[in-house]
Amino acid sequence: MSSRPYAAARRTLTMGEKMLEVNWGLVLLIAVVACIGLAMQYSVAGGHLQPWAQPQGIRFLIGLAILIGVSLIDIRFWMRAAYPAYAIAFLLLIVVQVAGHVGLGAERWIQIGPIQLQPSELMKIALVLALSRYLHGMSVEDVSRPLRLIVPLIMIVVPAVLVLKQPNLGTATILMADGCSMLFLAGLSWWWILPTIASVVASVPVVWHFLHDYQKQRVLTFLNPASDALGAGWNISQAEIAMGSGGFAGKGFVQGTQSRLNFLPEKETDFIFTSLGEEFGFVGCVALLLLFALVIGYGIRIAMSSRSQFGRLLAMGLTLNFFFYIMINAAMVMGMIPVVGIPMPLISYGGTAMLTVMFGFGLLMSVHVHRQVEIPRSTGAII
């Protein structure tokens, strides 16, 4: 982190000064992780750039340009844009319900010309932005007042329900986790948190009733994968075989038999981490997770360095969102939780996911570049 004096909001930095303030160590780390993803896309395609590695590489370069561009924009602009961004993401979720594109049995995408967009990915970033603005204007005491909680709870629950109806349980879970984490970071009292946890546990039978048949089957398969190893349990069974066959050091690059022989489902997207485990073994998986841990460490450090509550909440919310991606995907492919269809960030193939993750990193970098900017609390919870 740069120790060079910053004009403490008395003087606006020039673009050249902002470029010097960009944390290039974090940018390099993100690029290293993305290159690992490109290498795995190349491998699961049997040693070919098409159909996944080359398009993903182009998306990453576009995302890198987005990251740098977003980082140079004043953090106060992003605060002003928080509610409009949330409104746009919410409207796109409504459009999905009306005219969404169905893929793999789920209605999660909308077609805008040649671009296929997944609004639920956009909502993850928009929710963190909007909650950061709302909570910025609240004291610790205000956060735990029932009437002040109504708005943020609506902001969290309504889009989560819309995403759940697509159906997309994994992303709905992340939205709920992002929102609850933001409230906790803002100072929500444990007198609210503990009863909420108890209520969630007690509501499991009710939630079960509203799950789709395939979601119920995933849960049952998680509890007993061998019960239908050639049907509903095929994905997780093949993933466990691939991970286990990698052993300590793996079979070697482009030598993964489960993926190359097409036993492993969704090998380029949700189960790409499994392909990594097969080819590079325990060592490769731990190395990637350590790189992710470094990225998360950078995010926490950036949050702690911000002089504004909005910047701290935004940086921590984005960092936690990134963490939830990793945690859920890794746990899913290792059979620790049911299969929920969450990609591994920067590793899995996918356009909307890659670009929104890079946009999120751009916002994180904007917090770092403008870390000395002070924002009055009175500009926060205004709708």
Side-chain angles (χ1 to χ4, degrees):
M1 182 182 300
S2 172
S3 59
R4 185 167 57 83
Y6 196 109
R10 289 192 295 269
R11 178 177 67 84
T12 301
L13 293 182
T14 65
M15 283 298 172
E17 290 172 324
K18 288 184 179 183
M19 287 293 289
L20 292 175
E21 288 292 334
V22 170
N23 193 321
W24 294 105
L26 176 57
V27 174
L28 177 61
L29 186 57
I30 292 169
V32 169
V33 175
C35 286
I36 293 173
L38 294 178
M40 292 312 304
Q41 300 294 342
Y42 174 85
S43 176
V44 298
H48 298 94
L49 291 175
Q50 294 290 353
W52 302 306
Q54 184 174 328
Q56 189 76 344
I58 294 172
R59 289 166 180 164
F60 172 71
L61 292 177
I62 295 172
L64 194 58
I66 292 173
L67 188 159
I68 300 301
V70 170
S71 71
L72 300 179
I73 298 175
D74 195 299
I75 189 174
R76 288 166 292 195
F77 169 84
W78 294 119
M79 185 170 182
R80 292 192 297 270
Y83 293 149
Y86 179 90
I88 291 170
F90 185 81
L91 287 174
L92 289 174
L93 286 179
I94 299 293
V95 173
V96 170
Q97 300 296 321
V98 176
H101 171 71
V102 178
L104 297 177
E107 194 174 45
R108 302 176 184 175
W109 296 270
I110 56 176
Q111 196 75 30
I112 304 177
I115 300 173
Q116 196 175 73
L117 191 66
Q118 189 174 355
S120 59
E121 293 291 332
L122 304 179
M123 178 52 77
K124 293 175 188 176
I125 305 298
L127 177 64
V128 172
L129 258 175
L131 286 176
S132 296
R133 175 169 181 179
Y134 185 86
L135 297 171
H136 168 83
M138 298 172 64
S139 66
V140 173
E141 293 76 18
D142 286 338
V143 176
S144 296
R145 292 176 180 171
L147 292 179
R148 300 301 294 272
L149 278 174
I150 293 175
V151 171
L153 288 177
I154 291 174
M155 292 168 67
I156 296 166
V157 173
V158 175
V161 170
L162 289 175
V163 171
L164 190 61
K165 288 180 65 178
Q166 291 179 359
N168 189 345
L169 179 60
T171 299
T173 301
I174 289 183
L175 288 173
M176 292 295 294
D178 284 344
C180 293
S181 298
M182 295 287 289
L183 293 175
F184 174 76
L185 291 170
L188 185 64
S189 170
W190 282 100
W191 290 107
W192 281 100
I193 296 172
L194 294 177
T196 300
I197 294 174
S199 299
V200 170
V201 173
S203 67
V204 169
V206 178
V207 173
W208 177 264
H209 177 73
F210 288 98
L211 290 178
H212 291 260
D213 289 340
Y214 84 93
Q215 291 172 328
K216 293 179 180 179
Q217 188 60 50
R218 284 181 175 179
V219 175
L220 296 174
T221 301
F222 162 70
L223 296 174
N224 184 16
S227 62
D228 189 13
L230 297 179
W234 175 264
N235 289 12
I236 193 60
S237 296
Q238 294 303 315
E240 290 176 349
I241 291 171
M243 290 285 283
S245 66
F248 183 74
K251 297 176 178 178
F253 186 51
V254 200
Q255 301 299 317
T257 54
Q258 292 297 110
S259 58
R260 293 194 66 181
L261 296 176
N262 292 322
F263 286 107
L264 186 63
E266 305 299 326
K267 57 188 177 181
E268 78 282 6
T269 53
D270 297 345
F271 287 87
I272 191 74
F273 188 65
T274 303
S275 300
L276 179 79
E278 183 181 23
E279 296 189 5
F280 295 98
F282 175 79
V283 173
C285 291
V286 170
L288 178 61
L289 292 177
L290 286 175
L291 289 175
F292 280 139
L294 286 175
V295 174
I296 292 168
Y298 267 108
I300 294 172
R301 190 177 180 186
I302 288 172
M304 294 175 65
S305 71
S306 176
R307 298 186 66 174
S308 70
Q309 177 74 341
F310 174 75
R312 288 190 293 270
L313 288 171
L314 180 59
M316 279 302 301
L318 293 168
T319 301
L320 284 171
N321 180 63
F322 186 69
F323 167 75
F324 291 137
Y325 263 110
I326 299 162
M327 180 188 71
I328 293 177
N329 181 272
M332 174 188 76
V333 301
M334 289 189 288
M336 298 173 65
I337 62 173
V339 175
V340 290
I342 291 294
M344 182 64 82
L346 299 174
I347 305 295
S348 294
Y349 181 79
T352 307
M354 171 64 81
L355 295 179
T356 52
V357 166
M358 295 299 285
F359 181 79
F361 279 127
L363 291 174
L364 180 65
M365 197 67 72
S366 179
V367 174
H368 173 74
V369 171
H370 304 93
R371 60 193 178 278
Q372 297 293 346
V373 173
E374 296 180 356
I375 306 175
R377 287 279 188 139
S378 59
T379 59
I382 301 172
I383 297 181

